[in-house]
Amino acid sequence: MSIYASGQEDVLLDEDISIGTGEPADLIVFNDDHNTFDWVMQSFVEILGHSSEQSEQLALMIHLKGRATVKSAAFNELRPKKEALCDRGLSAVIEGKG
């Protein structure tokens, strides 16, 4: 499994986004060369509450496309989830919708 920023576009870190904490946002995970599919899928199940099937589909999408939106919610709901994913070694950011 690979989860890294492909360099094809600039990504704003959630610390740089000037959106309100209740504003809708997307949690994005990037491809890299060090996390296994199993670890990524386990992280999505445990942190995001996704099913095994949904986690597998997202991990494959990340691997093939370089990134995927793994959850959409209010910014303040996504922030602890992003931090938990990053604590597990995944590359994740929050992007505002708007």
Side-chain angles (χ1 to χ4, degrees):
M1 172 93 202
S2 305
I3 308 219
Y4 71 100
S6 65
Q8 294 177 344
E9 57 188 83
D10 293 330
V11 176
L12 292 175
L13 299 177
D14 54 289
E15 293 83 6
D16 298 332
I17 298 174
S18 59
I19 61 174
T21 58
E23 295 295 318
D26 291 327
L27 178 58
I28 312 290
V29 174
F30 296 96
N31 198 27
D32 71 31
D33 291 327
H34 58 272
N35 288 297
T36 66
F37 274 84
D38 287 339
W39 178 245
V40 172
M41 291 174 358
Q42 179 182 341
S43 297
F44 291 169
V45 168
E46 293 174 0
I47 294 170
L48 304 177
H50 291 335
S51 68
S52 296
E53 294 80 14
Q54 185 178 13
S55 297
E56 182 177 11
Q57 291 174 347
L58 287 168
L60 185 58
M61 192 180 314
I62 292 165
H63 177 70
L64 295 174
K65 296 189 176 214
R67 67 182 268 164
T69 299
V70 296
K71 190 159 188 77
S72 296
F75 181 87
N76 57 346
E77 180 184 333
L78 295 179
R79 185 166 203 137
K81 295 179 186 313
K82 183 211 85 142
E83 291 170 1
L85 291 172
C86 290
D87 286 346
R88 290 180 176 222
L90 280 66
S91 296
V93 297
I94 300 172
E95 293 182 353
K97 290 184 172 187

